[in-house]
Amino acid sequence: MSLELILRNANLPDGRRGFDIAIAGGRIAAVGSNLDAQAGEEIDASGRLVSPPFVDAHFHMDATLSLGLPRLNRSGTLLEGIALWGELKPHLTQETIVERALRYCDLAISQGVMAIRSHVDICDERLLAVEALLEVKRRVQPYLDLQLVAFPQDGYLRWPGAAETLARALDMGVEVVGGIPHFERTMAEGAKSVKLLCEVAAARGLRVDMHCDETDDPLSRHIETLAAETKRLGLEGRVTGSHLTSMHSMDNYYVSKLLPLIAESGVSAVANPLINIGIQGRHDSYPKRRGMTRVPELMDAGVTVAFGHDCVMDPWYSLGSADMLDVAHMGLHVAHMTGRADMTRCFEAVTTAPARILGLENYGLEPGCHADLVMLQARDPIEALRLKPPRLLVLRRGKMVARRDPLIARLDLPGRPASLDLSETAPLEKES
Ligand code: FE2
C-alpha cells in the first residue's frame, strides 16, 4: 500500500503516547508505535495531541455573526433574543446568510471543527434561511459536514403555517426534525408538538433534535414526553434533547425517575454551557441558578451527552469563537466536572459523543476511519482544555485544510529563558 502521510510520535486522546498514524487514500491506514512504513510525507507531532476533529452538535448558522442587527439584546434573555431575531428576519437576504455562514465555517475549520449540526428557522414562508444553508451545506461539504435541523423557532403550533413549512423544508433536504415545546402557548400544546413532530420524523425515517425545556421552570417536563414518544414510535438512538435546562431546577425525586426513562429511550442530550450560563437564572435575584442541565448525572445514567456552541455573535450571545474547547471549558466548570476523569469526559463531549449524535460515519482513529485529524499545541486532552491552544494542523481526508504556528511567548527577563512554549511540548529555545 502506498502511504501519503505518516504523523509520527503523536499522543492520542485515549492516553496512548508516541503513536504513529499512517494515512492512505484519505483514510487512516494504521495506528501503532514505531510503524515500519514510509510515506510521501512525514510530520513529527513531537508528543502533541492528535485528535479526531471537534464536532458541534448544536448551532444556529442562520443567525451567526449577525450581532447588532438590527440592535443588541439589552436584557440578555432568551425571549428578547427570539424577539430580536423576529425583527431581523424580514431584512435577511439569502446572500448575507450564505456569506456569514461561510465565514463562520472558515473559522470553525481553523479551530478543528469538522462537523456541525445547525438548526435552521423554518418559521418563514419564503424559507430563505433553509435555501441559504442548503447552499452552504453543498459548498462546505469538501471540508465540513453540515447537518441541518428544521427548527420551528416561533413554535410548531404557535406559528401558523409551521406544519406546511416544516414539510417543505424536509422535502428540500433538511434531514433532522426540530421543535421548541416550551415556547408553545401551553404545556399541553408543548406536549402535543413533541408528539406530532416525532410522528413526522418516524414517518420520514429521520432523526429528531428538539430545543427542549430551555427554561428555569422546574415543571417544564417536555423531555419526559420526548423520551416516551421516542419509545412509542421506535425512534431509539435517533432522538436528541437539546438544552434541557429545566432539569437543573427540577425536584431530585422526579429526576431520579426521569433519568432512567431518558437512558432507556436512547435519547441523547446536548448541553450548551456558554449560552445557558448567560441566559438562565435571569429571573433570579440571589442565589442565581446556573441553569445548565445535569451533565454528569446524565452521563452516569448512560446517556450520550455532548456540549454544543449554540450561538456565536448573534441575538442571543455576543461572544464565541467556534472553539469547542472554549465550550467544554465552560461546561466542565459549570458542571463541577473538574476531576481528571470528568475532564476527559468533557473532551469526549466535543468529539466522540457529538459524532455519535450526528451519526457520523467513519469518525475516529481506527484504521479505515476518515483521515480527519487535528493536531493541537498540547500533550493531552486535559492540557488542551486548560490552554485552548492553537490547532497546529487540521487534516480533512488526509489533506491539510488549516494550519497555525505554535504560540510562543518571547520573554525578556533576567536569568530566564528567551521564549516559552505554553504547552511545554517542545524544548525551550536557546537564548540567542
Ligand atoms: Fe439553540
Side-chain angles (χ1 to χ4, degrees):
M1 182 192 308
S2 85
L3 297 174
E4 288 141 24
L5 173 66
I6 299 182
L7 280 166
R8 297 276 189 197
N9 192 22
N11 290 351
L12 309 184
D14 63 6
R16 285 179 286 172
R17 290 181 174 263
F19 269 55
D20 301 339
I21 304 170
I23 295 167
R27 294 191 181 245
I28 294 174
V31 179
S33 55
N34 298 314
L35 284 180
D36 183 16
Q38 291 190 328
E41 188 184 0
E42 287 208 4
I43 293 174
D44 183 6
S46 302
R48 287 178 167 136
L49 175 65
V50 175
S51 170
F54 296 103
V55 179
D56 185 356
H58 188 112
F59 196 64
H60 294 263
M61 206 171 280
D62 47 2
T64 196
L65 306 184
S66 67
L67 182 67
L69 299 174
R71 62 180 176 81
L72 295 168
N73 184 333
R74 289 185 207 95
S75 67
T77 60
L78 171 71
L79 295 181
E80 184 174 347
I82 293 175
L84 219 165
W85 174 240
E87 291 171 32
L88 175 58
K89 251 197 283 191
H91 305 292
L92 291 171
T93 67
Q94 193 171 336
E95 294 72 31
T96 54
I97 296 172
V98 169
E99 199 272 322
R100 284 196 288 262
L102 287 174
R103 215 155 15 109
Y104 184 79
C105 291
D106 294 344
L107 184 60
I109 277 293
S110 77
Q111 300 280 31
V113 179
M114 229 172 273
I116 299 175
R117 174 181 278 183
S118 175
H119 296 253
V120 51
D121 188 1
I122 54 110
C123 292
D124 167 19
E125 273 147 23
R126 304 166 300 167
L127 288 179
L128 199 72
V130 170
E131 273 187 19
L133 290 194
L134 283 168
E135 166 70 8
V136 171
K137 178 185 164 87
R138 191 184 60 73
R139 284 168 67 173
V140 301
Q141 195 281 326
Y143 51 91
L144 190 143
D145 297 305
L146 178 58
Q147 190 177 82
L148 298 178
V149 184
F151 175 45
Q153 171 74 76
D154 298 327
Y156 185 61
L157 297 174
R158 183 170 170 171
W159 190 76
E164 189 266 326
T165 52
L166 177 91
R168 266 169 52 210
L170 298 176
D171 289 344
M172 287 161 72
V174 174
E175 61 242 269
V176 183
V177 177
I180 185 166
H182 56 278
F183 194 66
E184 304 291 352
R185 285 296 191 190
T186 64
M187 286 291 178
E189 292 211 335
K192 188 176 168 190
S193 76
V194 172
K195 183 171 180 289
L196 291 171
L197 288 161
C198 285
E199 285 172 355
V200 168
R204 289 177 177 254
L206 299 176
R207 292 172 189 270
V208 175
D209 188 338
M210 290 197 194
H211 285 65
C212 196
D213 303 322
E214 190 182 6
T215 157
D216 295 318
D217 176 4
L219 297 179
S220 187
R221 295 176 170 185
H222 297 299
I223 177 59
E224 180 185 77
T225 308
L226 184 62
E229 286 301 308
T230 299
K231 280 168 65 81
R232 181 177 74 86
L233 295 164
L235 293 171
E236 289 94 338
R238 285 161 48 190
V239 177
T240 301
S242 279
H243 292 287
L244 306 177
T245 54
S246 71
M247 284 182 70
H248 187 94
S249 299
M250 281 175 184
D251 172 71
N252 285 339
Y253 182 85
Y254 174 68
V255 172
S256 75
K257 178 169 167 281
L258 178 63
L259 285 172
L261 172 64
I262 299 173
E264 208 180 295
S265 64
V267 169
S268 50
V270 178
N272 297 295
L274 289 170
I275 190 81
N276 285 132
I277 196 65
I279 275 181
Q280 306 312 127
R282 289 276 176 167
H283 294 259
D284 294 351
S285 55
Y286 284 95
K288 291 179 190 290
R289 282 167 289 181
R290 296 173 182 213
M292 191 169 76
T293 193
R294 303 190 187 204
V295 171
E297 292 80 5
L298 282 160
M299 288 176 172
D300 290 344
V303 176
T304 298
V305 183
F307 288 131
H309 207 319
D310 202 4
C311 299
V312 170
M313 300 185 73
D314 69 7
W316 296 273
Y317 188 59
S318 60
L319 302 171
S321 58
D323 185 356
M324 295 311 293
L325 287 171
D326 193 22
V327 174
H329 187 263
M330 176 63 82
L332 74 90
H333 283 86
V334 175
H336 283 170
M337 295 179 72
T338 49
R340 293 187 71 80
D342 271 347
M343 286 196 279
T344 301
R345 293 205 288 182
C346 288
F347 189 84
E348 290 165 1
V350 291
T351 50
T352 52
R356 276 202 303 282
I357 290 172
L358 267 67
L360 296 181
E361 290 176 357
N362 302 308
Y363 174 95
L365 287 179
E366 303 305 313
C369 290
H370 290 308
D372 297 346
L373 300 166
V374 183
M375 182 167 83
L376 297 101
Q377 190 187 355
R379 288 165 292 189
D380 60 38
I382 292 174
E383 192 167 72
L385 286 164
R386 182 171 68 83
L387 296 172
K388 292 166 270 178
R391 315 308 116 103
L392 302 176
L393 195 61
V394 181
L395 300 177
R396 170 81 163 180
R397 310 298 194 252
K399 301 270 184 292
M400 193 183 306
V401 288
R403 78 175 105 178
R404 205 181 289 188
D405 292 333
L407 206 57
I408 307 287
R410 304 288 166 198
L411 302 177
D412 190 2
L413 303 171
R416 299 304 303 151
S419 65
L420 179 68
D421 178 335
L422 291 182
S423 72
E424 299 174 357
T425 303
L428 297 175
E429 283 183 15
K430 292 189 178 69
E431 286 185 75
S432 53

